[in-house]
Amino acid sequence: MTSPRTPGPRSSGSLASGEGASGAARRVMPPPVTPPGSEVTQLYGPDFAADPYGTYERLREYGALAPVEISPGVGAMLVTDYRAALDLLHDSETWSKDSRTWQQSAPEDSPVMPMLVWRPNLFFSDGETHERYRRAITDSFDRIPPHELRTAVIELADSLIAQFGEKGEADLMTEYARVLPLMLFNRLFGLPDSYSEQLITALAGVWEGRTPEEASAAGAAFEGYIGELMAAKKQVRGEDLTSWFMDHPAGLSDEEVMHHTVITMGAGHEPTANLIANALARMLTDDRYYSTLSGGALTPLDAIHDVLQNEPPIANYSAHFPKRDVYFHGTWIRRGQLVMVSYAAANTQHGRAEAGASGGATGSGGGAHLAWAAGPHSCPVQQPAVLIATTAIERLTAWLSDIELTVRHDQLTYRNGPFHRALTRLPARFTPISPDQPGATPWESRESRPREKHRRTSPAR
Ligand code: HEM
Protein backbone atom coordinates (compact mmCIF):
# COMPACT_ATOMS: atom_id res chain seq x y z
CA MET A 1 0.00 0.00 0.00
CA THR A 2 2.97 2.30 0.15
CA SER A 3 5.82 3.10 -2.20
CA PRO A 4 9.10 5.02 -1.83
CA ARG A 5 8.22 8.54 -0.80
CA THR A 6 8.43 11.55 -3.04
CA PRO A 7 10.54 14.40 -1.64
CA GLY A 8 8.87 16.23 1.23
CA PRO A 9 8.28 19.95 1.02
CA ARG A 10 11.31 22.10 1.82
CA SER A 11 11.62 25.75 1.24
CA SER A 12 13.70 28.76 2.03
CA GLY A 13 11.09 30.99 0.46
CA SER A 14 8.78 33.60 1.79
CA LEU A 15 6.41 33.18 4.68
CA ALA A 16 2.67 33.24 4.49
CA SER A 17 -0.32 33.22 6.74
CA GLY A 18 -2.59 30.36 7.68
CA GLU A 19 -0.68 28.33 10.23
CA GLY A 20 -1.58 30.35 13.29
CA ALA A 21 1.99 30.31 14.62
CA SER A 22 3.84 33.38 15.77
CA GLY A 23 6.03 35.27 13.31
CA ALA A 24 9.20 34.15 15.12
CA ALA A 25 8.17 30.54 15.12
CA ARG A 26 7.39 30.73 11.44
CA ARG A 27 10.92 31.80 10.61
CA VAL A 28 12.34 28.54 11.92
CA MET A 29 12.69 26.09 9.07
CA PRO A 30 10.94 22.89 10.09
CA PRO A 31 12.32 19.48 9.23
CA PRO A 32 11.02 17.69 6.13
CA VAL A 33 7.61 16.12 6.60
CA THR A 34 8.94 12.57 6.60
CA PRO A 35 12.46 11.31 7.27
CA PRO A 36 14.39 10.35 4.11
CA GLY A 37 13.88 6.75 3.10
CA SER A 38 10.47 6.44 4.64
CA GLU A 39 7.41 5.65 2.59
CA VAL A 40 4.55 7.68 1.25
CA THR A 41 0.99 6.47 1.58
CA GLN A 42 -0.96 5.55 -1.50
CA LEU A 43 -4.48 6.94 -1.84
CA TYR A 44 -5.36 4.39 -4.47
CA GLY A 45 -5.47 0.64 -4.86
CA PRO A 46 -7.56 -2.02 -3.12
CA ASP A 47 -6.06 -1.49 0.33
CA PHE A 48 -7.04 2.15 0.40
CA ALA A 49 -10.50 1.44 -1.04
CA ALA A 50 -11.05 -1.23 1.64
CA ASP A 51 -10.02 0.93 4.59
CA PRO A 52 -9.67 4.63 3.79
CA TYR A 53 -10.44 5.67 7.37
CA GLY A 54 -7.60 3.51 8.70
CA THR A 55 -5.34 5.27 6.22
CA TYR A 56 -6.52 8.70 7.38
CA GLU A 57 -5.82 7.74 10.99
CA ARG A 58 -2.25 6.80 10.10
CA LEU A 59 -1.83 10.01 8.11
CA ARG A 60 -2.77 12.08 11.15
CA GLU A 61 0.52 11.05 12.71
CA TYR A 62 2.23 13.49 10.32
CA GLY A 63 0.21 16.41 11.68
CA ALA A 64 -2.34 18.54 9.83
CA LEU A 65 -1.01 17.52 6.41
CA ALA A 66 0.61 14.37 5.15
CA PRO A 67 2.49 13.38 2.00
CA VAL A 68 0.51 10.98 -0.17
CA GLU A 69 0.57 9.55 -3.65
CA ILE A 70 -2.77 9.83 -5.46
CA SER A 71 -1.64 7.77 -8.46
CA PRO A 72 1.72 6.24 -9.38
CA GLY A 73 4.20 9.11 -9.63
CA VAL A 74 1.69 11.79 -8.59
CA GLY A 75 2.49 13.12 -5.13
CA ALA A 76 0.35 15.50 -3.09
CA MET A 77 0.01 16.84 0.40
CA LEU A 78 -3.28 15.84 2.00
CA VAL A 79 -4.92 17.99 4.67
CA THR A 80 -6.53 15.74 7.27
CA ASP A 81 -7.02 18.32 10.00
CA TYR A 82 -10.38 20.06 10.14
CA ARG A 83 -9.13 23.51 11.21
CA ALA A 84 -6.36 23.44 8.60
CA ALA A 85 -8.90 22.43 5.94
CA LEU A 86 -11.07 25.45 6.78
CA ASP A 87 -8.05 27.76 6.79
CA LEU A 88 -7.00 26.57 3.35
CA LEU A 89 -10.46 26.62 1.81
CA HIS A 90 -11.13 30.18 2.97
CA ASP A 91 -7.73 31.70 2.11
CA SER A 92 -7.74 32.66 -1.58
CA GLU A 93 -4.84 35.07 -0.95
CA THR A 94 -2.43 32.23 -0.34
CA TRP A 95 -3.99 29.41 -2.35
CA SER A 96 -4.85 29.21 -6.02
CA LYS A 97 -6.94 26.65 -7.90
CA ASP A 98 -4.89 27.16 -11.08
CA SER A 99 -3.12 23.86 -11.81
CA ARG A 100 -1.15 25.00 -14.90
CA THR A 101 2.27 25.35 -13.30
CA TRP A 102 1.91 22.11 -11.38
CA GLN A 103 0.79 20.06 -14.34
CA GLN A 104 3.96 20.89 -16.29
CA SER A 105 5.87 18.44 -14.12
CA ALA A 106 3.06 15.90 -13.63
CA PRO A 107 2.78 12.70 -15.67
CA GLU A 108 0.47 13.65 -18.54
CA ASP A 109 -1.04 10.20 -18.96
CA SER A 110 -1.82 9.56 -15.29
CA PRO A 111 -5.41 8.41 -14.76
CA VAL A 112 -5.97 11.18 -12.21
CA MET A 113 -5.15 13.97 -14.64
CA PRO A 114 -8.72 14.44 -15.94
CA MET A 115 -9.54 15.64 -12.42
CA LEU A 116 -6.54 17.96 -12.21
CA VAL A 117 -5.60 19.33 -15.62
CA TRP A 118 -6.42 23.01 -15.98
CA ARG A 119 -9.45 23.98 -18.03
CA PRO A 120 -11.22 27.35 -18.37
CA ASN A 121 -13.91 26.60 -15.80
CA LEU A 122 -14.78 27.54 -12.24
CA PHE A 123 -12.90 24.63 -10.66
CA PHE A 124 -9.51 25.91 -11.86
CA SER A 125 -10.03 29.66 -11.66
CA ASP A 126 -9.64 32.31 -8.97
CA GLY A 127 -11.03 35.75 -8.16
CA GLU A 128 -13.20 37.60 -10.66
CA THR A 129 -12.94 34.95 -13.35
CA HIS A 130 -14.17 32.39 -10.87
CA GLU A 131 -17.04 34.63 -9.74
CA ARG A 132 -18.15 35.20 -13.35
CA TYR A 133 -18.17 31.48 -14.10
CA ARG A 134 -19.84 30.61 -10.84
CA ARG A 135 -22.67 33.10 -11.39
CA ALA A 136 -23.52 31.39 -14.67
CA ILE A 137 -23.84 28.06 -12.87
CA THR A 138 -25.77 29.26 -9.82
CA ASP A 139 -28.15 31.52 -11.80
CA SER A 140 -28.95 28.68 -14.19
CA PHE A 141 -29.64 26.16 -11.43
CA ASP A 142 -31.79 28.77 -9.69
CA ARG A 143 -34.06 28.74 -12.74
CA ILE A 144 -35.06 25.12 -12.09
CA PRO A 145 -38.12 25.14 -9.82
CA PRO A 146 -37.60 22.57 -7.03
CA HIS A 147 -41.01 20.97 -7.64
CA GLU A 148 -40.13 20.42 -11.29
CA LEU A 149 -36.82 18.91 -10.32
CA ARG A 150 -38.61 16.61 -7.91
CA THR A 151 -41.15 15.61 -10.54
CA ALA A 152 -38.37 14.78 -13.01
CA VAL A 153 -36.58 12.64 -10.41
CA ILE A 154 -39.83 10.82 -9.61
CA GLU A 155 -40.49 10.10 -13.29
CA LEU A 156 -36.99 8.79 -13.90
CA ALA A 157 -36.97 6.82 -10.65
CA ASP A 158 -40.26 5.17 -11.57
CA SER A 159 -38.99 4.28 -15.02
CA LEU A 160 -35.91 2.62 -13.53
CA ILE A 161 -37.83 0.81 -10.79
CA ALA A 162 -40.22 -0.44 -13.47
CA GLN A 163 -37.24 -2.03 -15.21
CA PHE A 164 -36.11 -4.14 -12.25
CA GLY A 165 -39.18 -4.23 -9.97
CA GLU A 166 -40.49 -7.53 -11.25
CA LYS A 167 -37.14 -9.30 -10.73
CA GLY A 168 -37.31 -9.02 -6.95
CA GLU A 169 -33.61 -8.15 -6.88
CA ALA A 170 -31.35 -5.42 -8.25
CA ASP A 171 -27.90 -3.95 -8.00
CA LEU A 172 -28.99 -0.56 -6.75
CA MET A 173 -25.65 0.96 -7.67
CA THR A 174 -25.56 0.13 -11.37
CA GLU A 175 -29.30 -0.14 -11.95
CA TYR A 176 -30.42 2.86 -9.92
CA ALA A 177 -28.06 5.23 -8.07
CA ARG A 178 -25.58 5.59 -10.92
CA VAL A 179 -28.12 5.80 -13.72
CA LEU A 180 -30.71 8.09 -12.19
CA PRO A 181 -28.64 11.30 -11.82
CA LEU A 182 -27.21 10.72 -15.23
CA MET A 183 -30.60 10.48 -16.88
CA LEU A 184 -31.59 13.57 -14.95
CA PHE A 185 -28.57 15.59 -16.11
CA ASN A 186 -29.19 14.46 -19.63
CA ARG A 187 -32.67 15.97 -19.34
CA LEU A 188 -31.54 19.11 -17.53
CA PHE A 189 -29.01 19.73 -20.28
CA GLY A 190 -31.69 19.27 -22.89
CA LEU A 191 -31.06 15.94 -24.67
CA PRO A 192 -33.43 12.97 -25.08
CA ASP A 193 -33.12 10.03 -22.63
CA SER A 194 -31.56 7.86 -25.36
CA TYR A 195 -28.23 9.68 -24.82
CA SER A 196 -27.88 8.54 -21.19
CA GLU A 197 -26.03 5.29 -21.88
CA GLN A 198 -23.16 7.09 -23.62
CA LEU A 199 -22.76 9.24 -20.54
CA ILE A 200 -22.77 6.35 -18.07
CA THR A 201 -19.75 4.72 -19.67
CA ALA A 202 -17.83 7.93 -20.19
CA LEU A 203 -18.23 9.41 -16.71
CA ALA A 204 -17.50 6.16 -14.90
CA GLY A 205 -14.19 6.00 -16.77
CA VAL A 206 -13.27 9.58 -15.98
CA TRP A 207 -13.79 9.15 -12.24
CA GLU A 208 -12.51 5.61 -11.94
CA GLY A 209 -9.15 6.43 -13.51
CA ARG A 210 -7.78 2.90 -13.90
CA THR A 211 -5.44 2.76 -16.89
CA PRO A 212 -4.39 5.78 -18.95
CA GLU A 213 -6.04 4.21 -22.01
CA GLU A 214 -9.38 3.79 -20.23
CA ALA A 215 -9.24 7.30 -18.85
CA SER A 216 -8.48 8.78 -22.24
CA ALA A 217 -11.18 6.70 -24.01
CA ALA A 218 -13.67 7.84 -21.38
CA GLY A 219 -12.62 11.44 -21.89
CA ALA A 220 -13.09 11.12 -25.66
CA ALA A 221 -16.54 9.52 -25.25
CA PHE A 222 -17.60 12.31 -22.94
CA GLU A 223 -16.33 14.95 -25.37
CA GLY A 224 -18.32 13.29 -28.16
CA TYR A 225 -21.49 13.53 -26.09
CA ILE A 226 -20.85 17.17 -25.23
CA GLY A 227 -20.09 18.00 -28.87
CA GLU A 228 -23.50 16.69 -29.92
CA LEU A 229 -25.18 18.57 -27.10
CA MET A 230 -23.54 21.89 -28.02
CA ALA A 231 -24.40 21.52 -31.68
CA ALA A 232 -28.05 20.75 -30.89
CA LYS A 233 -28.45 23.71 -28.51
CA LYS A 234 -26.68 26.16 -30.80
CA GLN A 235 -29.28 25.33 -33.39
CA VAL A 236 -32.34 25.44 -31.16
CA ARG A 237 -32.38 26.83 -27.62
CA GLY A 238 -34.65 25.26 -25.03
CA GLU A 239 -35.63 25.53 -21.38
CA ASP A 240 -32.47 23.80 -20.23
CA LEU A 241 -29.16 24.46 -18.48
CA THR A 242 -27.11 24.43 -21.69
CA SER A 243 -29.25 27.14 -23.29
CA TRP A 244 -29.18 29.20 -20.08
CA PHE A 245 -25.38 28.97 -19.97
CA MET A 246 -25.25 30.12 -23.60
CA ASP A 247 -27.46 33.14 -22.97
CA HIS A 248 -26.20 34.07 -19.50
CA PRO A 249 -25.19 37.76 -19.00
CA ALA A 250 -21.71 36.53 -18.06
CA GLY A 251 -21.28 36.25 -21.83
CA LEU A 252 -19.55 32.88 -21.87
CA SER A 253 -17.78 32.03 -25.12
CA ASP A 254 -18.68 28.77 -26.90
CA GLU A 255 -15.62 27.17 -25.37
CA GLU A 256 -16.53 28.37 -21.88
CA VAL A 257 -20.10 27.11 -22.25
CA MET A 258 -18.76 23.75 -23.30
CA HIS A 259 -16.39 23.57 -20.34
CA HIS A 260 -19.10 24.57 -17.89
CA THR A 261 -21.48 21.99 -19.22
CA VAL A 262 -18.74 19.38 -18.90
CA ILE A 263 -17.79 20.40 -15.39
CA THR A 264 -21.37 20.60 -14.17
CA MET A 265 -22.11 17.12 -15.38
CA GLY A 266 -18.70 15.77 -14.33
CA ALA A 267 -18.89 17.39 -10.90
CA GLY A 268 -22.51 16.53 -10.30
CA HIS A 269 -23.09 13.01 -11.49
CA GLU A 270 -20.61 10.89 -9.58
CA PRO A 271 -21.05 12.47 -6.13
CA THR A 272 -24.83 12.46 -6.43
CA ALA A 273 -24.79 8.77 -7.37
CA ASN A 274 -22.56 8.08 -4.39
CA LEU A 275 -24.69 10.17 -2.07
CA ILE A 276 -27.76 8.13 -3.01
CA ALA A 277 -25.96 4.78 -2.80
CA ASN A 278 -24.02 5.44 0.39
CA ALA A 279 -27.19 6.68 2.10
CA LEU A 280 -29.17 3.67 0.88
CA ALA A 281 -26.42 1.34 2.10
CA ARG A 282 -26.74 2.85 5.56
CA MET A 283 -30.52 2.77 5.61
CA LEU A 284 -30.73 -0.82 4.48
CA THR A 285 -28.22 -2.15 6.98
CA ASP A 286 -28.91 -0.12 10.07
CA ASP A 287 -31.73 -0.94 12.49
CA ARG A 288 -32.28 2.71 13.25
CA TYR A 289 -33.52 3.22 9.70
CA TYR A 290 -35.48 -0.01 9.52
CA SER A 291 -38.72 1.48 10.70
CA THR A 292 -38.22 4.45 8.38
CA LEU A 293 -39.31 2.31 5.47
CA SER A 294 -42.72 1.96 7.08
CA GLY A 295 -42.89 5.42 8.64
CA GLY A 296 -40.42 5.40 11.53
CA ALA A 297 -38.30 8.11 13.13
CA LEU A 298 -35.17 8.29 10.97
CA THR A 299 -35.71 9.52 7.42
CA PRO A 300 -33.80 9.36 4.13
CA LEU A 301 -32.67 12.91 4.86
CA ASP A 302 -31.11 11.66 8.10
CA ALA A 303 -29.25 9.01 6.13
CA ILE A 304 -28.04 11.67 3.71
CA HIS A 305 -26.77 13.86 6.54
CA ASP A 306 -25.13 10.82 8.09
CA VAL A 307 -23.28 10.19 4.83
CA LEU A 308 -22.29 13.83 4.42
CA GLN A 309 -20.79 13.77 7.90
CA ASN A 310 -19.24 10.34 8.03
CA GLU A 311 -18.71 9.08 4.51
CA PRO A 312 -18.60 12.04 2.09
CA PRO A 313 -19.27 11.00 -1.53
CA ILE A 314 -16.20 12.96 -2.59
CA ALA A 315 -13.66 11.96 0.02
CA ASN A 316 -10.62 13.95 -1.08
CA TYR A 317 -10.41 16.87 -3.51
CA SER A 318 -10.23 20.69 -3.46
CA ALA A 319 -6.94 20.68 -5.33
CA HIS A 320 -5.08 23.86 -4.38
CA PHE A 321 -1.64 25.26 -5.15
CA PRO A 322 0.11 27.85 -2.96
CA LYS A 323 0.96 31.07 -4.78
CA ARG A 324 4.25 31.22 -2.85
CA ASP A 325 6.20 28.98 -0.52
CA VAL A 326 4.13 28.75 2.61
CA TYR A 327 4.56 27.36 6.11
CA PHE A 328 1.12 25.95 6.74
CA HIS A 329 0.04 24.27 9.97
CA GLY A 330 3.54 23.02 10.70
CA THR A 331 4.59 22.05 7.18
CA TRP A 332 6.46 23.87 4.44
CA ILE A 333 4.67 23.72 1.11
CA ARG A 334 6.45 24.75 -2.05
CA ARG A 335 4.89 27.27 -4.43
CA GLY A 336 2.77 25.39 -6.96
CA GLN A 337 2.76 22.10 -5.04
CA LEU A 338 -0.46 20.08 -5.13
CA VAL A 339 -2.37 20.15 -1.84
CA MET A 340 -5.72 18.42 -1.44
CA VAL A 341 -8.27 18.41 1.35
CA SER A 342 -9.57 15.17 2.80
CA TYR A 343 -13.17 16.02 3.65
CA ALA A 344 -13.55 12.46 4.92
CA ALA A 345 -10.61 12.73 7.31
CA ALA A 346 -11.44 16.28 8.45
CA ASN A 347 -15.10 15.43 9.06
CA THR A 348 -14.27 12.42 11.19
CA GLN A 349 -11.42 13.99 13.14
CA HIS A 350 -11.92 13.48 16.82
CA GLY A 351 -13.22 16.68 18.41
CA ARG A 352 -13.53 18.50 15.10
CA ALA A 353 -16.82 20.13 16.02
CA GLU A 354 -14.96 22.09 18.70
CA ALA A 355 -12.15 22.87 16.25
CA GLY A 356 -14.40 25.32 14.42
CA ALA A 357 -18.09 24.95 13.82
CA SER A 358 -18.33 27.73 11.27
CA GLY A 359 -17.44 27.74 7.63
CA GLY A 360 -18.68 24.32 6.60
CA ALA A 361 -22.19 22.96 6.15
CA THR A 362 -24.38 22.09 9.06
CA GLY A 363 -25.30 18.45 9.42
CA SER A 364 -27.80 16.62 11.53
CA GLY A 365 -25.21 16.12 14.24
CA GLY A 366 -25.12 19.89 14.87
CA GLY A 367 -21.50 20.35 13.72
CA ALA A 368 -20.17 21.61 10.42
CA HIS A 369 -19.08 19.09 7.82
CA LEU A 370 -16.97 19.64 4.73
CA ALA A 371 -18.68 17.23 2.34
CA TRP A 372 -19.44 20.21 0.07
CA ALA A 373 -15.99 21.70 0.75
CA ALA A 374 -16.17 25.30 2.07
CA GLY A 375 -15.28 28.83 1.02
CA PRO A 376 -15.54 30.30 -2.49
CA HIS A 377 -15.32 26.92 -4.25
CA SER A 378 -17.80 25.05 -2.09
CA CYS A 379 -20.41 23.12 -4.03
CA PRO A 380 -22.85 25.62 -5.56
CA VAL A 381 -25.58 23.03 -6.10
CA GLN A 382 -26.05 21.65 -2.60
CA GLN A 383 -29.81 22.05 -2.24
CA PRO A 384 -30.72 20.56 -5.63
CA ALA A 385 -28.29 17.69 -4.95
CA VAL A 386 -29.96 16.90 -1.61
CA LEU A 387 -33.40 17.17 -3.21
CA ILE A 388 -32.39 14.74 -5.96
CA ALA A 389 -30.90 12.22 -3.54
CA THR A 390 -33.75 12.45 -1.04
CA THR A 391 -36.41 12.03 -3.73
CA ALA A 392 -34.55 9.11 -5.30
CA ILE A 393 -34.36 7.28 -1.97
CA GLU A 394 -37.93 8.09 -0.95
CA ARG A 395 -39.26 6.85 -4.26
CA LEU A 396 -37.32 3.60 -4.14
CA THR A 397 -38.33 2.80 -0.59
CA ALA A 398 -41.94 3.79 -1.29
CA TRP A 399 -42.17 1.28 -4.13
CA LEU A 400 -40.10 -1.45 -2.50
CA SER A 401 -41.15 -1.22 1.11
CA ASP A 402 -39.39 -4.41 2.22
CA ILE A 403 -36.14 -3.86 0.34
CA GLU A 404 -33.00 -5.16 2.03
CA LEU A 405 -29.38 -5.78 1.08
CA THR A 406 -28.29 -9.30 0.22
CA VAL A 407 -24.90 -8.76 1.87
CA ARG A 408 -23.84 -7.28 5.19
CA HIS A 409 -22.62 -3.69 5.21
CA ASP A 410 -19.08 -4.83 5.95
CA GLN A 411 -19.15 -7.01 2.83
CA LEU A 412 -19.75 -4.08 0.50
CA THR A 413 -16.81 -3.11 -1.68
CA TYR A 414 -15.70 0.27 -2.96
CA ARG A 415 -14.11 1.40 -6.20
CA ASN A 416 -10.45 2.30 -6.33
CA GLY A 417 -9.37 5.89 -6.64
CA PRO A 418 -8.27 8.79 -4.46
CA PHE A 419 -11.24 11.10 -4.93
CA HIS A 420 -14.52 9.34 -4.35
CA ARG A 421 -16.21 7.01 -1.90
CA ALA A 422 -18.07 4.91 -4.42
CA LEU A 423 -19.60 1.47 -3.97
CA THR A 424 -18.93 -1.08 -6.69
CA ARG A 425 -22.31 -2.79 -6.13
CA LEU A 426 -25.31 -2.48 -3.86
CA PRO A 427 -27.11 -5.81 -4.21
CA ALA A 428 -30.66 -5.84 -2.80
CA ARG A 429 -33.78 -7.98 -2.80
CA PHE A 430 -37.45 -7.17 -2.31
CA THR A 431 -40.91 -8.53 -2.99
CA PRO A 432 -41.41 -8.22 -6.76
CA ILE A 433 -43.80 -5.52 -7.91
CA SER A 434 -45.35 -4.52 -11.24
CA PRO A 435 -45.11 -0.75 -11.33
CA ASP A 436 -46.53 -0.49 -14.83
CA GLN A 437 -49.82 -2.18 -14.07
CA PRO A 438 -52.74 0.10 -14.97
CA GLY A 439 -53.58 2.63 -12.29
CA ALA A 440 -50.83 1.53 -9.91
CA THR A 441 -48.97 4.00 -7.73
CA PRO A 442 -46.13 3.20 -5.33
CA TRP A 443 -48.53 3.51 -2.42
CA GLU A 444 -51.26 1.30 -3.85
CA SER A 445 -48.81 -1.38 -4.90
CA ARG A 446 -47.96 -2.23 -1.30
CA GLU A 447 -50.76 -4.60 -0.59
CA SER A 448 -49.10 -6.36 2.30
CA ARG A 449 -47.22 -5.15 5.35
CA PRO A 450 -43.43 -5.25 5.09
CA ARG A 451 -42.27 -8.80 5.63
CA GLU A 452 -40.15 -9.87 8.59
CA LYS A 453 -36.66 -8.44 8.26
CA HIS A 454 -33.33 -10.08 8.81
CA ARG A 455 -31.53 -8.45 11.64
CA ARG A 456 -29.49 -5.55 10.34
CA THR A 457 -26.02 -4.66 11.48
CA SER A 458 -24.84 -1.16 12.17
CA PRO A 459 -22.98 0.30 9.20
CA ALA A 460 -19.23 0.54 9.20
CA ARG A 461 -18.03 4.06 8.55
C1 HEM B 1 -26.58 18.24 -8.86
C2 HEM B 1 -25.44 17.78 -8.43
C3 HEM B 1 -24.17 18.60 -8.32
C4 HEM B 1 -23.68 19.56 -9.16
C5 HEM B 1 -24.28 20.07 -10.46
C6 HEM B 1 -22.43 20.03 -8.59
C7 HEM B 1 -21.62 21.01 -9.14
C8 HEM B 1 -20.48 21.49 -8.59
C9 HEM B 1 -19.64 22.52 -9.17
C10 HEM B 1 -19.93 23.23 -10.48
C11 HEM B 1 -18.59 22.72 -8.34
C12 HEM B 1 -17.41 23.70 -8.52
C13 HEM B 1 -17.62 24.93 -7.63
C14 HEM B 1 -16.50 25.96 -7.73
O1 HEM B 1 -15.35 25.60 -8.04
O2 HEM B 1 -16.77 27.14 -7.45
C15 HEM B 1 -18.76 21.82 -7.25
C16 HEM B 1 -17.89 21.71 -6.20
C17 HEM B 1 -17.99 20.73 -5.26
N1 HEM B 1 -19.02 19.83 -5.08
FE1 HEM B 1 -20.68 19.68 -6.18
N2 HEM B 1 -22.20 19.33 -7.43
C18 HEM B 1 -23.23 18.45 -7.24
C19 HEM B 1 -23.37 17.55 -6.24
C20 HEM B 1 -22.44 17.35 -5.27
C21 HEM B 1 -22.51 16.33 -4.25
C22 HEM B 1 -23.63 15.32 -4.09
C23 HEM B 1 -21.40 16.46 -3.49
C24 HEM B 1 -21.00 15.66 -2.29
C25 HEM B 1 -21.72 15.63 -1.22
C26 HEM B 1 -20.63 17.57 -4.02
C27 HEM B 1 -19.45 18.03 -3.49
C28 HEM B 1 -18.69 19.04 -4.02
C29 HEM B 1 -17.41 19.44 -3.48
C30 HEM B 1 -16.68 18.80 -2.32
C31 HEM B 1 -16.96 20.50 -4.26
C32 HEM B 1 -15.63 21.25 -4.14
C33 HEM B 1 -14.64 20.56 -5.07
C34 HEM B 1 -13.34 21.30 -5.23
O3 HEM B 1 -13.28 22.53 -5.07
O4 HEM B 1 -12.35 20.63 -5.56
N3 HEM B 1 -21.29 18.08 -5.08
N4 HEM B 1 -19.91 21.08 -7.41
Side-chain angles (χ1 to χ4, degrees):
M1 96 154 247
T2 53
S3 67
R5 71 180 285 271
T6 47
R10 295 163 196 260
S11 168
S12 55
S14 63
L15 301 167
S17 62
E19 75 277 24
S22 73
R26 278 192 249 142
R27 281 171 179 76
V28 178
M29 178 67 77
V33 174
T34 48
S38 68
E39 295 185 321
V40 68
T41 303
Q42 294 177 349
L43 280 203
Y44 57 91
D47 289 345
F48 175 67
D51 184 22
Y53 289 89
T55 303
Y56 302 140
E57 281 314 307
R58 288 191 291 281
L59 290 176
R60 291 189 208 286
E61 290 167 17
Y62 287 90
L65 300 85
V68 294
E69 206 178 44
I70 57 171
S71 181
V74 184
M77 293 300 290
L78 187 74
V79 178
T80 57
D81 177 76
Y82 181 76
R83 184 71 252 173
L86 281 182
D87 286 347
L88 184 151
L89 293 169
H90 285 283
D91 180 5
S92 325
E93 288 299 307
T94 306
W95 302 93
S96 168
K97 294 278 284 176
D98 190 332
S99 58
R100 279 175 289 191
T101 306
W102 171 82
Q103 73 194 41
Q104 284 166 15
S105 53
E108 247 176 65
D109 58 353
S110 168
V112 291
M113 291 315 270
M115 296 284 288
L116 296 168
V117 165
W118 183 89
R119 273 148 288 169
N121 68 36
L122 74 174
F123 260 93
F124 299 98
S125 56
D126 303 316
E128 282 177 21
T129 308
H130 172 250
E131 278 168 34
R132 173 173 159 257
Y133 289 157
R134 193 166 160 112
R135 262 199 314 278
I137 300 262
T138 51
D139 288 350
S140 299
F141 269 93
D142 283 350
R143 292 182 67 166
I144 306 173
H147 67 273
E148 282 182 19
L149 188 62
R150 189 173 150 77
T151 303
V153 176
I154 287 174
E155 274 176 31
L156 294 170
D158 286 3
S159 74
L160 287 171
I161 296 164
Q163 284 173 27
F164 59 70
E166 281 176 305
K167 284 195 296 174
E169 59 177 27
D171 173 6
L172 297 176
M173 191 70 218
T174 56
E175 295 179 73
Y176 194 69
R178 183 162 289 286
V179 200
L180 177 56
L182 204 59
M183 292 167 80
L184 181 69
F185 272 119
N186 193 53
R187 272 197 191 182
L188 295 180
F189 278 99
L191 282 184
D193 290 350
S194 53
Y195 281 80
S196 300
E197 197 56 41
Q198 198 180 332
L199 265 180
I200 294 170
T201 318
L203 286 180
V206 169
W207 277 78
E208 188 117 9
R210 283 171 303 212
T211 66
E213 293 74 26
E214 279 173 334
S216 119
F222 191 41
E223 274 170 32
Y225 170 91
I226 293 294
E228 288 186 54
L229 172 62
M230 291 298 124
K233 292 298 144 188
K234 276 211 87 131
Q235 252 184 348
V236 187
R237 298 283 210 275
E239 285 296 296
D240 51 59
L241 288 173
T242 321
S243 302
W244 297 333
F245 289 170
M246 285 176 170
D247 296 334
H248 192 273
L252 302 183
S253 67
D254 287 355
E255 198 202 2
E256 288 172 328
V257 169
M258 190 270 287
H259 279 288
H260 283 84
T261 310
V262 169
I263 199 63
T264 302
M265 189 113 55
H269 168 244
E270 179 75 29
T272 306
N274 297 336
L275 183 56
I276 295 169
N278 295 353
L280 271 172
R282 278 167 187 259
M283 285 181 70
L284 302 181
T285 53
D286 184 341
D287 279 339
R288 292 172 306 156
Y289 292 101
Y290 165 58
S291 55
T292 298
L293 304 184
S294 53
L298 285 182
T299 65
L301 194 56
D302 290 315
I304 284 168
H305 283 145
D306 191 3
V307 166
L308 293 173
Q309 294 265 7
N310 298 308
E311 194 183 29
I314 306 180
N316 309 296
Y317 202 28
S318 285
H320 280 80
F321 309 87
K323 296 176 185 173
R324 54 187 176 274
D325 294 349
V326 55
Y327 185 52
F328 182 71
H329 282 266
T331 299
W332 277 99
I333 312 286
R334 278 207 188 110
R335 175 173 173 268
Q337 189 175 355
L338 171 60
V339 179
M340 293 191 351
V341 174
S342 178
Y343 319 120
N347 277 4
T348 53
Q349 181 178 12
H350 182 67
R352 64 124 176 128
E354 297 82 56
S358 63
T362 300
S364 60
H369 67 71
L370 298 180
W372 311 107
H377 287 270
S378 64
C379 182
V381 192
Q382 297 173 28
Q383 283 171 358
V386 168
L387 177 66
I388 295 164
T390 312
T391 308
I393 294 173
E394 282 171 358
R395 202 63 181 170
L396 185 84
T397 52
W399 276 106
L400 311 173
S401 61
D402 62 353
I403 190 165
E404 60 190 1
L405 293 194
T406 58
V407 296
R408 291 197 319 267
H409 197 281
D410 61 6
Q411 292 172 322
L412 293 170
T413 54
Y414 293 84
R415 286 180 15 227
N416 288 337
F419 305 111
H420 50 252
R421 181 68 172 157
L423 286 159
T424 50
R425 297 178 66 238
L426 192 57
R429 63 176 163 239
F430 45 84
T431 302
I433 57 160
S434 299
D436 50 358
Q437 69 196 39
T441 72
W443 319 105
E444 288 162 2
S445 73
R446 288 185 296 160
E447 288 152 8
S448 55
R449 309 304 314 156
R451 68 176 181 229
E452 186 65 22
K453 299 277 177 179
H454 296 306
R455 175 151 179 80
R456 292 182 166 137
T457 53
S458 288
R461 196 162 48 199

